[in-house]
Amino acid sequence: MKPIHWALIGALAMPASAFAFDMRLNGFMSIAGGVTLGDDQTLVIDPVNLAAYNNDLNFSADSLVAIQAIAEVNDDMTATAQMVGRGGEDFNTQFEWAYLTYEATDSLDVKGGRLRMPLFYYSNFLELGYGYQWVRPPVETYNIFVTTVEGISADYSFYIGDFSAKASAYAGSTQGTDPESGSDVDFKTLAGGSLDLAINNLSFRGSYNAANNAELTREVQVPMPPNNYIGTVGQTFDFPIEFISAAAMYDNGTLFTIAEYTSTLNDTNLINNRYNGYASLGYRIGALTPHVTYARYEEETNSIDPSYNQNPREYQSATLGIRWDFDIAAALKVEYTRREDTNPDSQRAVGDADLLSFAIDVVF
């Protein structure tokens, strides 16, 4: 993308304390559609509300609109709120961000409120489709059902030799429902951090997040007195879990490539451990950006609960797409994705799918 495009992305993703306005409104929107090309094919693209594409042309699964308001409280403090309405949720609006930022020093910002967890390379502008080449980030990796936390965080910028660096840390709590297992998870204390490094055309990122006292609640079948008939009750388990990610990117303004790997691990054997990753390559030719991506999702059997004995899933996908920046703040994207279920025939969980999708992303 051209420098002006990165400036537009930065205006929506950079810390709010960088602004010197009493009040500022930003917004962005994605109008997207897609259809699977084979009979009885379904491809889920949203792990939270299970929005998906099938053989019927769909204009809601990837579409969204967001408004971000930034208000200057005083010279050192700002308030930020971002509301997002997703097509997969009937455009019901919710606050994705709602926090105060205090600029403690030129290098240190402290935030409190509802925050975005620094899980992924694209976490800070996950919904901002204008900020990346795809219609959506690879669903094999970007499939976590919680991405925000109510708590506090700190961002510290510094240098390590010739590397510019930013260290982020946070702590808080959040709740969510794992749509794949139907389990409610209460992350009573969730903490983590990330480190970003950049030099010349290279950037690197690592993140670690852990919830050591989380609780998972799911329905299990048990004998019920007095006749020992099988009934369903909610049962709560201790559920310590950790999330690890690493990414590297090269971008010389024309050629760019990024690779990202994540793992979601738990020691309780309640949900399968998950290992995900992708690699993407793109080339900018004026206003056009053709790109190709390979992504993979793997699970490791991790179940001792007889009421949940799902076979581990494995699948991979290849995406070929093109982005056209037809205006200073608008881009048209078209891409074809081929997903392959790599489980044995008797254990295939998601099936093969061929998806044609498109989107118009704008910022305003």
Side-chain angles (χ1 to χ4, degrees):
M1 283 179 287
K2 299 177 182 178
I4 186 64
H5 296 155
W6 285 115
L8 288 167
I9 294 170
L12 290 160
M14 71 190 301
S17 56
F19 295 105
F21 302 92
D22 292 334
M23 183 71 171
R24 175 165 181 162
L25 290 176
N26 301 303
F28 53 92
M29 179 182 294
S30 296
I31 302 300
V35 62
T36 56
L37 304 180
D39 294 336
D40 299 322
Q41 290 184 344
T42 299
L43 200 155
V44 176
I45 54 87
D46 189 329
V48 177
N49 56 60
L50 299 182
Y53 289 107
N54 54 31
N55 297 133
D56 297 323
L57 184 61
N58 184 316
F59 284 93
S60 63
D62 274 312
S63 296
L64 63 82
V65 61
I67 299 294
Q68 185 183 99
I70 303 168
E72 183 177 330
V73 179
N74 55 44
D75 290 342
D76 299 318
M77 183 177 291
T78 55
T80 302
Q82 180 170 293
M83 296 177 291
V84 179
R86 295 178 174 84
E89 298 176 330
D90 295 326
F91 289 101
N92 293 325
T93 304
Q94 62 180 358
F95 280 95
E96 197 73 19
W97 295 352
Y99 60 83
L100 293 174
T101 302
Y102 176 68
E103 185 179 2
T105 69
D106 290 341
S107 301
L108 176 64
D109 287 341
V110 179
K111 299 185 179 76
R114 169 167 286 190
L115 311 164
R116 174 59 52 83
M117 292 185 288
L119 301 176
F120 303 106
Y121 186 90
Y122 291 101
S123 282
N124 280 345
F125 46 100
L126 185 58
E127 291 88 7
L128 179 58
Y130 186 83
Y132 38 76
Q133 67 269 30
W134 311 284
V135 172
R136 74 201 68 81
V139 296
E140 289 80 5
T141 297
Y142 285 72
N143 56 24
I144 302 300
F145 60 92
V146 291
T147 58
T148 59
V149 61
E150 284 76 46
I152 59 173
S153 72
D155 300 324
Y156 182 67
S157 300
F158 58 102
Y159 286 89
I160 303 176
D162 293 331
F163 285 86
S164 61
K166 185 179 77 170
S168 301
Y170 74 94
S173 62
T174 191
Q175 299 82 35
T177 299
D178 181 7
E180 296 169 4
S181 66
S183 303
D184 295 324
V185 184
D186 185 2
F187 299 95
K188 296 180 180 295
T189 303
L190 183 61
S194 63
L195 177 64
D196 293 82
L197 299 172
I199 183 171
N200 299 325
N201 299 326
L202 290 170
S203 58
F204 305 92
R205 187 179 189 279
S207 175
Y208 177 81
N209 309 265
N212 294 321
N213 64 345
E215 290 183 346
L216 179 147
T217 302
R218 68 157 56 110
E219 292 185 346
V220 297
Q221 293 182 335
V222 297
M224 305 290 289
N227 299 320
N228 288 330
Y229 71 91
I230 301 301
T232 301
V233 298
Q235 189 170 350
T236 299
F237 306 86
D238 292 333
F239 185 59
I241 190 169
E242 59 182 1
F243 180 88
I244 304 167
S245 68
M249 184 173 190
Y250 172 82
D251 189 341
N252 66 8
T254 302
L255 174 71
F256 66 91
T257 181
I258 181 171
E260 187 168 13
Y261 175 82
T262 67
S263 61
T264 306
L265 310 172
N266 74 96
D267 295 329
T268 62
N269 299 322
L270 294 171
I271 292 178
N272 292 337
N273 289 332
R274 301 165 186 178
Y275 307 90
N276 319 307
Y278 69 88
S280 184
L281 176 69
Y283 193 84
R284 302 182 183 98
I285 310 170
L288 298 178
T289 305
H291 58 88
V292 61
T293 301
Y294 170 79
R296 184 164 179 82
Y297 177 99
E298 296 183 12
E299 289 183 2
E300 180 182 90
T301 301
N302 198 25
S303 179
I304 61 174
D305 179 1
S307 69
Y308 178 72
N309 192 24
Q310 180 176 326
N311 291 322
R313 300 178 304 164
E314 295 183 6
Y315 54 90
Q316 60 190 15
S317 72
T319 297
L320 179 65
I322 189 166
R323 168 180 173 144
W324 173 34
D325 288 279
F326 63 90
D327 198 4
I328 193 172
L332 170 65
K333 304 172 184 177
V334 179
E335 60 188 39
Y336 166 76
T337 298
R338 167 66 177 173
R339 183 188 66 194
E340 179 185 3
D341 190 328
T342 55
N343 279 79
D345 289 343
S346 61
Q347 301 177 11
R348 289 165 65 88
V350 298
D352 297 341
D354 298 272
L355 174 66
L356 179 65
S357 55
F358 51 88
I360 296 178
D361 295 316
V362 299
V363 294
F364 51 87

